[in-house]
Short mmCIF file of all heavy atoms in Angstrom, two decimals:
data_model
loop_
_atom_site.label_atom_id
_atom_site.label_comp_id
_atom_site.label_asym_id
_atom_site.label_seq_id
_atom_site.Cartn_x
_atom_site.Cartn_y
_atom_site.Cartn_z
N ASP A 148 -4.24 -7.76 26.47
CA ASP A 148 -5.26 -8.72 26.90
C ASP A 148 -4.96 -9.27 28.29
O ASP A 148 -5.87 -9.52 29.09
CB ASP A 148 -5.38 -9.86 25.89
CG ASP A 148 -5.95 -9.39 24.56
OD1 ASP A 148 -6.72 -8.41 24.57
OD2 ASP A 148 -5.63 -9.99 23.53
N ALA A 149 -3.67 -9.48 28.57
CA ALA A 149 -3.28 -9.99 29.89
C ALA A 149 -3.64 -8.98 30.98
O ALA A 149 -4.13 -9.34 32.06
CB ALA A 149 -1.78 -10.30 29.90
N VAL A 150 -3.41 -7.70 30.70
CA VAL A 150 -3.75 -6.65 31.67
C VAL A 150 -5.26 -6.63 31.93
O VAL A 150 -5.70 -6.48 33.08
CB VAL A 150 -3.28 -5.27 31.14
CG1 VAL A 150 -3.92 -4.14 31.95
CG2 VAL A 150 -1.76 -5.18 31.22
N LYS A 151 -6.06 -6.80 30.88
CA LYS A 151 -7.52 -6.81 31.06
C LYS A 151 -7.95 -7.94 31.99
O LYS A 151 -8.83 -7.75 32.86
CB LYS A 151 -8.20 -6.96 29.70
CG LYS A 151 -8.08 -5.73 28.82
CD LYS A 151 -8.75 -5.95 27.47
CE LYS A 151 -8.59 -4.74 26.57
NZ LYS A 151 -9.20 -4.95 25.24
N ASP A 152 -7.35 -9.13 31.84
CA ASP A 152 -7.71 -10.25 32.71
C ASP A 152 -7.29 -9.98 34.15
O ASP A 152 -8.03 -10.28 35.10
CB ASP A 152 -7.05 -11.54 32.21
CG ASP A 152 -7.86 -12.19 31.09
OD1 ASP A 152 -8.95 -11.69 30.78
OD2 ASP A 152 -7.39 -13.20 30.52
N ALA A 153 -6.10 -9.42 34.33
CA ALA A 153 -5.63 -9.13 35.69
C ALA A 153 -6.51 -8.07 36.36
O ALA A 153 -6.84 -8.17 37.56
CB ALA A 153 -4.18 -8.65 35.64
N GLU A 154 -6.91 -7.07 35.59
CA GLU A 154 -7.81 -6.05 36.14
C GLU A 154 -9.17 -6.64 36.48
O GLU A 154 -9.82 -6.22 37.47
CB GLU A 154 -7.95 -4.90 35.13
CG GLU A 154 -6.68 -4.06 35.00
CD GLU A 154 -6.80 -3.01 33.92
OE1 GLU A 154 -7.68 -3.17 33.04
OE2 GLU A 154 -6.01 -2.04 33.93
N ALA A 155 -9.63 -7.61 35.67
CA ALA A 155 -10.90 -8.29 35.97
C ALA A 155 -10.78 -9.07 37.28
O ALA A 155 -11.75 -9.16 38.05
CB ALA A 155 -11.29 -9.21 34.82
N MET A 156 -9.60 -9.64 37.56
CA MET A 156 -9.38 -10.34 38.82
C MET A 156 -9.53 -9.38 40.00
O MET A 156 -10.16 -9.72 41.02
CB MET A 156 -7.98 -10.97 38.83
CG MET A 156 -7.79 -12.11 37.83
SD MET A 156 -6.06 -12.64 37.74
CE MET A 156 -5.83 -13.31 39.39
N ILE A 157 -8.96 -8.20 39.86
CA ILE A 157 -9.04 -7.22 40.95
C ILE A 157 -10.48 -6.77 41.16
O ILE A 157 -10.96 -6.63 42.30
CB ILE A 157 -8.13 -6.02 40.64
CG1 ILE A 157 -6.66 -6.47 40.60
CG2 ILE A 157 -8.32 -4.90 41.67
CD1 ILE A 157 -5.70 -5.41 40.12
N THR A 158 -11.20 -6.55 40.07
CA THR A 158 -12.60 -6.14 40.16
C THR A 158 -13.44 -7.21 40.84
O THR A 158 -14.32 -6.92 41.65
CB THR A 158 -13.16 -5.84 38.76
OG1 THR A 158 -12.38 -4.81 38.15
CG2 THR A 158 -14.61 -5.39 38.84
N CYS A 159 -13.13 -8.47 40.51
CA CYS A 159 -13.89 -9.60 41.07
C CYS A 159 -13.69 -9.70 42.58
O CYS A 159 -14.66 -9.91 43.33
CB CYS A 159 -13.45 -10.89 40.38
SG CYS A 159 -14.22 -12.38 41.04
N LYS A 160 -12.47 -9.54 43.05
CA LYS A 160 -12.19 -9.68 44.49
C LYS A 160 -11.07 -8.72 44.88
O LYS A 160 -9.88 -9.09 44.94
CB LYS A 160 -11.79 -11.13 44.81
CG LYS A 160 -11.95 -11.49 46.28
CD LYS A 160 -13.42 -11.47 46.74
CE LYS A 160 -13.54 -11.90 48.19
NZ LYS A 160 -14.94 -11.77 48.66
N PRO A 161 -11.40 -7.47 45.13
CA PRO A 161 -10.37 -6.46 45.38
C PRO A 161 -9.63 -6.61 46.71
O PRO A 161 -8.66 -5.89 46.94
CB PRO A 161 -11.16 -5.14 45.36
CG PRO A 161 -12.56 -5.53 45.66
CD PRO A 161 -12.76 -6.90 45.11
N THR A 162 -10.08 -7.53 47.56
CA THR A 162 -9.38 -7.72 48.84
C THR A 162 -8.43 -8.91 48.80
O THR A 162 -7.76 -9.19 49.80
CB THR A 162 -10.40 -7.92 49.98
OG1 THR A 162 -11.22 -9.06 49.68
CG2 THR A 162 -11.26 -6.68 50.16
N LEU A 163 -8.37 -9.60 47.66
CA LEU A 163 -7.42 -10.71 47.51
C LEU A 163 -6.19 -10.22 46.76
O LEU A 163 -6.28 -9.38 45.86
CB LEU A 163 -8.05 -11.87 46.75
CG LEU A 163 -9.12 -12.68 47.49
CD1 LEU A 163 -9.63 -13.82 46.62
CD2 LEU A 163 -8.58 -13.24 48.80
N PRO A 164 -5.02 -10.73 47.08
CA PRO A 164 -3.78 -10.23 46.47
C PRO A 164 -3.51 -10.76 45.07
O PRO A 164 -2.68 -10.21 44.35
CB PRO A 164 -2.71 -10.73 47.45
CG PRO A 164 -3.29 -12.00 48.01
CD PRO A 164 -4.77 -11.76 48.13
N THR A 165 -4.20 -11.84 44.66
CA THR A 165 -3.86 -12.54 43.41
C THR A 165 -3.87 -11.62 42.20
O THR A 165 -2.94 -11.63 41.38
CB THR A 165 -4.86 -13.70 43.17
OG1 THR A 165 -5.07 -14.38 44.39
CG2 THR A 165 -4.31 -14.64 42.12
N GLY A 166 -4.93 -10.80 42.06
CA GLY A 166 -5.02 -9.93 40.90
C GLY A 166 -3.93 -8.87 40.88
O GLY A 166 -3.37 -8.56 39.83
N PHE A 167 -3.61 -8.29 42.03
CA PHE A 167 -2.57 -7.27 42.10
C PHE A 167 -1.20 -7.86 41.76
O PHE A 167 -0.39 -7.23 41.09
CB PHE A 167 -2.55 -6.64 43.49
CG PHE A 167 -3.80 -5.88 43.84
CD1 PHE A 167 -4.75 -6.43 44.70
CD2 PHE A 167 -4.03 -4.63 43.29
CE1 PHE A 167 -5.90 -5.74 45.02
CE2 PHE A 167 -5.20 -3.93 43.61
CZ PHE A 167 -6.14 -4.49 44.47
N ILE A 168 -0.97 -9.08 42.25
CA ILE A 168 0.32 -9.74 41.96
C ILE A 168 0.47 -9.99 40.47
O ILE A 168 1.51 -9.72 39.87
CB ILE A 168 0.42 -11.07 42.74
CG1 ILE A 168 0.49 -10.79 44.26
CG2 ILE A 168 1.62 -11.88 42.29
CD1 ILE A 168 0.39 -12.03 45.12
N ARG A 169 -0.62 -10.51 39.84
CA ARG A 169 -0.54 -10.80 38.41
C ARG A 169 -0.37 -9.52 37.59
O ARG A 169 0.47 -9.46 36.69
CB ARG A 169 -1.81 -11.54 37.96
CG ARG A 169 -1.85 -11.89 36.48
CD ARG A 169 -0.68 -12.75 36.04
NE ARG A 169 -0.66 -13.99 36.80
CZ ARG A 169 0.44 -14.70 37.00
NH1 ARG A 169 1.60 -14.28 36.51
NH2 ARG A 169 0.40 -15.82 37.72
N LEU A 170 -1.13 -8.47 37.91
CA LEU A 170 -1.05 -7.23 37.15
C LEU A 170 0.33 -6.59 37.29
O LEU A 170 0.91 -6.11 36.30
CB LEU A 170 -2.14 -6.26 37.61
CG LEU A 170 -2.22 -4.92 36.86
CD1 LEU A 170 -2.46 -5.14 35.37
CD2 LEU A 170 -3.33 -4.04 37.45
N GLY A 171 0.85 -6.59 38.52
CA GLY A 171 2.19 -6.04 38.73
C GLY A 171 3.24 -6.78 37.94
O GLY A 171 4.14 -6.17 37.33
N ASN A 172 3.14 -8.11 37.89
CA ASN A 172 4.12 -8.91 37.15
C ASN A 172 4.03 -8.66 35.64
O ASN A 172 5.05 -8.67 34.95
CB ASN A 172 3.92 -10.40 37.45
CG ASN A 172 4.33 -10.77 38.87
OD1 ASN A 172 5.17 -10.10 39.45
ND2 ASN A 172 3.74 -11.81 39.43
N ILE A 173 2.82 -8.47 35.13
CA ILE A 173 2.67 -8.19 33.70
C ILE A 173 3.33 -6.86 33.35
O ILE A 173 4.02 -6.74 32.33
CB ILE A 173 1.17 -8.17 33.31
CG1 ILE A 173 0.59 -9.59 33.43
CG2 ILE A 173 0.98 -7.65 31.88
CD1 ILE A 173 -0.92 -9.63 33.34
N TYR A 174 3.13 -5.85 34.19
CA TYR A 174 3.77 -4.56 33.94
C TYR A 174 5.30 -4.69 33.99
O TYR A 174 6.02 -4.07 33.20
CB TYR A 174 3.30 -3.52 34.96
CG TYR A 174 1.92 -2.97 34.69
CD1 TYR A 174 1.01 -2.75 35.72
CD2 TYR A 174 1.52 -2.66 33.39
CE1 TYR A 174 -0.26 -2.23 35.47
CE2 TYR A 174 0.26 -2.15 33.13
CZ TYR A 174 -0.63 -1.94 34.17
OH TYR A 174 -1.87 -1.43 33.91
N ARG A 175 5.79 -5.50 34.90
CA ARG A 175 7.24 -5.69 34.99
C ARG A 175 7.79 -6.39 33.75
O ARG A 175 8.90 -6.09 33.30
CB ARG A 175 7.57 -6.49 36.25
CG ARG A 175 7.34 -5.71 37.54
CD ARG A 175 7.58 -6.59 38.76
NE ARG A 175 8.95 -7.09 38.78
CZ ARG A 175 9.35 -8.16 39.45
NH1 ARG A 175 8.45 -8.86 40.15
NH2 ARG A 175 10.60 -8.53 39.43
N MET A 176 7.02 -7.34 33.20
CA MET A 176 7.44 -8.01 31.97
C MET A 176 7.61 -7.02 30.83
O MET A 176 8.46 -7.20 29.94
CB MET A 176 6.43 -9.09 31.57
CG MET A 176 6.39 -10.29 32.50
SD MET A 176 5.06 -11.43 32.07
CE MET A 176 5.67 -12.08 30.52
N GLN A 177 6.80 -5.96 30.83
CA GLN A 177 6.87 -4.95 29.77
C GLN A 177 7.92 -3.88 30.05
O GLN A 177 8.15 -3.01 29.22
CB GLN A 177 5.51 -4.26 29.60
CG GLN A 177 4.39 -5.20 29.20
CD GLN A 177 3.06 -4.46 29.12
OE1 GLN A 177 2.79 -3.74 28.16
NE2 GLN A 177 2.23 -4.63 30.13
N GLY A 178 8.52 -3.94 31.24
CA GLY A 178 9.48 -2.91 31.61
C GLY A 178 8.83 -1.67 32.19
O GLY A 178 9.50 -0.65 32.40
N LYS A 179 7.54 -1.75 32.50
CA LYS A 179 6.81 -0.60 33.05
C LYS A 179 6.87 -0.68 34.58
O LYS A 179 5.89 -1.00 35.25
CB LYS A 179 5.37 -0.59 32.56
CG LYS A 179 5.25 -0.45 31.05
CD LYS A 179 3.78 -0.48 30.59
CE LYS A 179 3.68 -0.30 29.09
NZ LYS A 179 2.27 -0.34 28.61
N GLN A 180 8.05 -0.40 35.11
CA GLN A 180 8.28 -0.60 36.53
C GLN A 180 7.45 0.36 37.39
O GLN A 180 6.97 0.00 38.47
CB GLN A 180 9.77 -0.44 36.84
CG GLN A 180 10.69 -1.33 36.01
CD GLN A 180 10.40 -2.81 36.18
OE1 GLN A 180 9.84 -3.24 37.20
NE2 GLN A 180 10.79 -3.62 35.19
N ARG A 181 7.27 1.59 36.93
CA ARG A 181 6.49 2.55 37.72
C ARG A 181 5.03 2.11 37.83
O ARG A 181 4.42 2.23 38.90
CB ARG A 181 6.58 3.93 37.09
CG ARG A 181 7.96 4.56 37.19
CD ARG A 181 7.97 5.97 36.60
NE ARG A 181 9.29 6.57 36.70
CZ ARG A 181 9.60 7.76 36.21
NH1 ARG A 181 8.67 8.47 35.58
NH2 ARG A 181 10.82 8.25 36.34
N ARG A 182 4.48 1.60 36.73
CA ARG A 182 3.10 1.11 36.78
C ARG A 182 3.01 -0.09 37.72
O ARG A 182 2.01 -0.25 38.45
CB ARG A 182 2.65 0.71 35.37
CG ARG A 182 2.62 1.84 34.36
CD ARG A 182 1.48 2.81 34.62
NE ARG A 182 0.19 2.19 34.42
CZ ARG A 182 -0.42 2.12 33.24
NH1 ARG A 182 0.17 2.61 32.15
NH2 ARG A 182 -1.62 1.58 33.12
N ALA A 183 4.04 -0.92 37.71
CA ALA A 183 4.05 -2.08 38.59
C ALA A 183 4.09 -1.64 40.06
O ALA A 183 3.35 -2.19 40.91
CB ALA A 183 5.25 -2.97 38.27
N ILE A 184 4.92 -0.66 40.35
CA ILE A 184 5.03 -0.16 41.73
C ILE A 184 3.68 0.38 42.20
O ILE A 184 3.22 0.09 43.32
CB ILE A 184 6.11 0.93 41.83
CG1 ILE A 184 7.49 0.32 41.58
CG2 ILE A 184 6.07 1.61 43.20
CD1 ILE A 184 8.59 1.35 41.39
N GLU A 185 3.02 1.16 41.34
CA GLU A 185 1.70 1.70 41.69
C GLU A 185 0.71 0.58 41.97
O GLU A 185 -0.10 0.66 42.91
CB GLU A 185 1.19 2.59 40.56
CG GLU A 185 2.00 3.87 40.37
CD GLU A 185 1.56 4.63 39.13
OE1 GLU A 185 0.62 4.16 38.44
OE2 GLU A 185 2.15 5.69 38.83
N THR A 186 0.75 -0.47 41.16
CA THR A 186 -0.17 -1.60 41.34
C THR A 186 0.07 -2.30 42.67
O THR A 186 -0.88 -2.61 43.42
CB THR A 186 -0.01 -2.60 40.18
OG1 THR A 186 -0.29 -1.93 38.94
CG2 THR A 186 -0.95 -3.79 40.35
N TYR A 187 1.34 -2.58 42.99
CA TYR A 187 1.65 -3.25 44.26
C TYR A 187 1.22 -2.38 45.45
O TYR A 187 0.74 -2.90 46.46
CB TYR A 187 3.15 -3.56 44.34
CG TYR A 187 3.61 -4.63 43.37
CD1 TYR A 187 4.69 -4.41 42.53
CD2 TYR A 187 2.95 -5.86 43.30
CE1 TYR A 187 5.12 -5.38 41.65
CE2 TYR A 187 3.38 -6.84 42.42
CZ TYR A 187 4.47 -6.60 41.59
OH TYR A 187 4.88 -7.56 40.71
N GLU A 188 1.41 -1.07 45.35
CA GLU A 188 1.03 -0.18 46.45
C GLU A 188 -0.48 -0.20 46.69
O GLU A 188 -0.94 -0.22 47.84
CB GLU A 188 1.51 1.25 46.14
CG GLU A 188 3.02 1.42 46.27
CD GLU A 188 3.48 2.82 45.89
OE1 GLU A 188 2.66 3.54 45.25
OE2 GLU A 188 4.62 3.19 46.22
N ILE A 189 -1.26 -0.18 45.60
CA ILE A 189 -2.72 -0.27 45.76
C ILE A 189 -3.09 -1.60 46.39
O ILE A 189 -3.99 -1.67 47.25
CB ILE A 189 -3.41 -0.11 44.38
CG1 ILE A 189 -3.15 1.30 43.83
CG2 ILE A 189 -4.91 -0.36 44.50
CD1 ILE A 189 -3.63 1.48 42.40
N GLY A 190 -2.40 -2.67 46.00
CA GLY A 190 -2.66 -3.99 46.58
C GLY A 190 -2.36 -4.03 48.06
O GLY A 190 -3.12 -4.61 48.86
N LEU A 191 -1.26 -3.41 48.45
CA LEU A 191 -0.88 -3.40 49.86
C LEU A 191 -1.90 -2.63 50.70
O LEU A 191 -2.08 -2.92 51.90
CB LEU A 191 0.51 -2.77 50.02
CG LEU A 191 1.67 -3.63 49.49
CD1 LEU A 191 2.97 -2.83 49.44
CD2 LEU A 191 1.85 -4.88 50.34
N GLU A 192 -2.55 -1.63 50.09
CA GLU A 192 -3.58 -0.88 50.81
C GLU A 192 -4.91 -1.63 50.86
O GLU A 192 -5.70 -1.42 51.79
CB GLU A 192 -3.79 0.48 50.14
CG GLU A 192 -2.58 1.40 50.24
CD GLU A 192 -2.78 2.68 49.43
OE1 GLU A 192 -3.86 2.82 48.81
OE2 GLU A 192 -1.85 3.52 49.41
N SER A 193 -5.16 -2.50 49.87
CA SER A 193 -6.47 -3.15 49.75
C SER A 193 -6.54 -4.52 50.41
O SER A 193 -7.61 -4.97 50.84
CB SER A 193 -6.85 -3.29 48.27
OG SER A 193 -6.79 -2.05 47.60
N VAL A 194 -5.41 -5.21 50.51
CA VAL A 194 -5.39 -6.58 51.01
C VAL A 194 -5.06 -6.58 52.51
O VAL A 194 -4.16 -5.84 52.94
CB VAL A 194 -4.33 -7.41 50.24
CG1 VAL A 194 -4.23 -8.82 50.80
CG2 VAL A 194 -4.67 -7.43 48.75
N PRO A 195 -5.78 -7.36 53.29
CA PRO A 195 -5.47 -7.45 54.73
C PRO A 195 -4.03 -7.92 54.96
O PRO A 195 -3.57 -8.86 54.29
CB PRO A 195 -6.47 -8.49 55.24
CG PRO A 195 -7.59 -8.45 54.24
CD PRO A 195 -6.96 -8.17 52.93
N PRO A 196 -3.31 -7.32 55.88
CA PRO A 196 -1.90 -7.68 56.12
C PRO A 196 -1.70 -9.12 56.56
O PRO A 196 -0.60 -9.66 56.39
CB PRO A 196 -1.46 -6.70 57.22
CG PRO A 196 -2.40 -5.54 57.08
CD PRO A 196 -3.71 -6.13 56.66
N ASP A 197 -2.77 -9.75 57.11
CA ASP A 197 -2.59 -11.12 57.57
C ASP A 197 -2.82 -12.14 56.46
O ASP A 197 -2.77 -13.36 56.70
CB ASP A 197 -3.53 -11.41 58.75
CG ASP A 197 -5.00 -11.20 58.36
OD1 ASP A 197 -5.27 -10.67 57.26
OD2 ASP A 197 -5.87 -11.56 59.18
N ASP A 198 -3.08 -11.68 55.24
CA ASP A 198 -3.26 -12.62 54.12
C ASP A 198 -1.93 -13.31 53.85
O ASP A 198 -0.87 -12.67 53.83
CB ASP A 198 -3.72 -11.87 52.86
CG ASP A 198 -4.13 -12.82 51.74
OD1 ASP A 198 -3.22 -13.44 51.14
OD2 ASP A 198 -5.33 -12.92 51.46
N PRO A 199 -1.93 -14.64 53.63
CA PRO A 199 -0.67 -15.38 53.42
C PRO A 199 0.16 -14.85 52.24
O PRO A 199 1.38 -15.02 52.23
CB PRO A 199 -1.15 -16.81 53.15
CG PRO A 199 -2.49 -16.90 53.82
CD PRO A 199 -3.11 -15.53 53.67
N GLN A 200 -0.51 -14.24 51.24
CA GLN A 200 0.23 -13.77 50.06
C GLN A 200 0.61 -12.29 50.16
O GLN A 200 1.17 -11.73 49.22
CB GLN A 200 -0.61 -13.99 48.79
CG GLN A 200 -0.76 -15.48 48.42
CD GLN A 200 -1.46 -15.65 47.08
OE1 GLN A 200 -2.53 -15.11 46.87
NE2 GLN A 200 -0.82 -16.39 46.18
N TYR A 201 0.33 -11.67 51.26
CA TYR A 201 0.66 -10.25 51.45
C TYR A 201 2.16 -9.99 51.26
O TYR A 201 2.54 -8.99 50.63
CB TYR A 201 0.21 -9.79 52.84
CG TYR A 201 0.23 -8.30 53.04
CD1 TYR A 201 -0.87 -7.52 52.66
CD2 TYR A 201 1.32 -7.67 53.63
CE1 TYR A 201 -0.87 -6.15 52.85
CE2 TYR A 201 1.34 -6.30 53.82
CZ TYR A 201 0.24 -5.54 53.43
OH TYR A 201 0.25 -4.19 53.62
N PRO A 202 3.03 -10.90 51.77
CA PRO A 202 4.48 -10.67 51.56
C PRO A 202 4.88 -10.64 50.08
O PRO A 202 5.86 -9.99 49.71
CB PRO A 202 5.12 -11.85 52.29
CG PRO A 202 4.12 -12.24 53.33
CD PRO A 202 2.79 -12.02 52.68
N LEU A 203 4.12 -11.36 49.21
CA LEU A 203 4.44 -11.36 47.78
C LEU A 203 4.24 -9.97 47.17
O LEU A 203 4.98 -9.57 46.26
CB LEU A 203 3.59 -12.38 47.04
CG LEU A 203 3.83 -13.86 47.38
CD1 LEU A 203 2.90 -14.76 46.58
CD2 LEU A 203 5.29 -14.22 47.12
N LEU A 204 3.25 -9.26 47.67
CA LEU A 204 3.05 -7.88 47.21
C LEU A 204 4.23 -7.01 47.62
O LEU A 204 4.70 -6.17 46.85
CB LEU A 204 1.75 -7.31 47.79
CG LEU A 204 0.44 -7.90 47.25
CD1 LEU A 204 -0.74 -7.41 48.09
CD2 LEU A 204 0.24 -7.50 45.80
N GLN A 205 4.71 -7.20 48.86
CA GLN A 205 5.85 -6.42 49.33
C GLN A 205 7.11 -6.74 48.53
O GLN A 205 7.87 -5.84 48.16
CB GLN A 205 6.08 -6.71 50.82
CG GLN A 205 4.93 -6.25 51.71
CD GLN A 205 5.09 -6.69 53.15
OE1 GLN A 205 5.47 -7.85 53.41
NE2 GLN A 205 4.82 -5.78 54.09
N GLU A 206 7.30 -8.05 48.22
CA GLU A 206 8.48 -8.45 47.44
C GLU A 206 8.40 -7.88 46.01
O GLU A 206 9.41 -7.42 45.45
CB GLU A 206 8.57 -9.97 47.39
CG GLU A 206 8.88 -10.61 48.73
CD GLU A 206 8.80 -12.13 48.65
OE1 GLU A 206 8.70 -12.66 47.52
OE2 GLU A 206 8.85 -12.78 49.72
N GLY A 207 7.20 -7.94 45.42
CA GLY A 207 7.03 -7.42 44.07
C GLY A 207 7.34 -5.94 43.99
O GLY A 207 8.02 -5.47 43.06
N LYS A 208 6.87 -5.18 44.97
CA LYS A 208 7.14 -3.73 44.98
C LYS A 208 8.64 -3.47 45.13
O LYS A 208 9.20 -2.60 44.44
CB LYS A 208 6.38 -3.07 46.12
CG LYS A 208 6.65 -1.57 46.20
CD LYS A 208 5.98 -0.93 47.42
CE LYS A 208 6.38 0.54 47.53
NZ LYS A 208 5.79 1.19 48.71
N ALA A 209 9.30 -4.23 46.01
CA ALA A 209 10.73 -4.02 46.24
C ALA A 209 11.54 -4.32 44.97
O ALA A 209 12.45 -3.57 44.60
CB ALA A 209 11.20 -4.90 47.40
N GLU A 210 11.18 -5.43 44.28
CA GLU A 210 11.91 -5.79 43.06
C GLU A 210 11.66 -4.78 41.94
O GLU A 210 12.57 -4.42 41.19
CB GLU A 210 11.51 -7.20 42.61
CG GLU A 210 11.99 -8.29 43.57
CD GLU A 210 11.43 -9.65 43.21
OE1 GLU A 210 10.65 -9.73 42.22
OE2 GLU A 210 11.75 -10.62 43.91
N ALA A 211 10.41 -4.31 41.81
CA ALA A 211 10.09 -3.31 40.79
C ALA A 211 10.81 -2.00 41.06
O ALA A 211 11.30 -1.34 40.14
CB ALA A 211 8.58 -3.09 40.72
N THR A 212 10.90 -1.62 42.33
CA THR A 212 11.60 -0.39 42.70
C THR A 212 13.08 -0.50 42.35
O THR A 212 13.68 0.45 41.82
CB THR A 212 11.43 -0.13 44.21
OG1 THR A 212 10.03 -0.01 44.51
CG2 THR A 212 12.16 1.15 44.61
N LEU A 213 13.67 -1.67 42.63
CA LEU A 213 15.08 -1.89 42.31
C LEU A 213 15.32 -1.81 40.81
O LEU A 213 16.26 -1.17 40.34
CB LEU A 213 15.52 -3.25 42.86
CG LEU A 213 16.99 -3.62 42.63
CD1 LEU A 213 17.90 -2.62 43.35
CD2 LEU A 213 17.27 -5.04 43.13
N GLN A 214 14.45 -2.46 40.03
CA GLN A 214 14.59 -2.44 38.57
C GLN A 214 14.39 -1.03 38.02
O GLN A 214 15.05 -0.63 37.06
CB GLN A 214 13.59 -3.41 37.93
CG GLN A 214 13.90 -4.88 38.16
CD GLN A 214 15.24 -5.27 37.53
OE1 GLN A 214 15.57 -4.86 36.43
NE2 GLN A 214 16.01 -6.07 38.26
N ASN A 215 13.48 -0.28 38.62
CA ASN A 215 13.20 1.08 38.15
C ASN A 215 14.41 1.99 38.35
O ASN A 215 14.68 2.87 37.53
CB ASN A 215 11.99 1.65 38.88
CG ASN A 215 11.54 2.98 38.32
OD1 ASN A 215 11.25 3.08 37.13
ND2 ASN A 215 11.47 4.00 39.15
#
Side-chain angles (χ1 to χ4, degrees):
D148 292 332
V150 166
K151 290 179 182 178
D152 277 356
E154 290 175 340
M156 293 172 66
I157 296 172
T158 302
C159 176
K160 200 65 177 175
T162 58
L163 289 181
T165 317
F167 295 103
I168 293 171
R169 179 58 58 205
L170 182 59
N172 289 334
I173 292 169
Y174 283 140
R175 290 175 60 202
M176 290 174 70
Q177 298 177 78
K179 298 179 179 179
Q180 306 301 337
R181 291 183 180 177
R182 298 288 294 274
I184 293 169
E185 292 173 1
T186 301
Y187 291 129
E188 287 177 344
I189 295 172
L191 290 169
E192 294 174 0
S193 306
V194 177
D197 59 350
D198 189 287
Q200 290 187 307
Y201 193 85
L203 294 179
L204 290 170
Q205 295 173 316
E206 293 174 9
K208 179 185 175 182
E210 292 173 359
T212 301
L213 181 62
Q214 290 297 319
N215 187 56

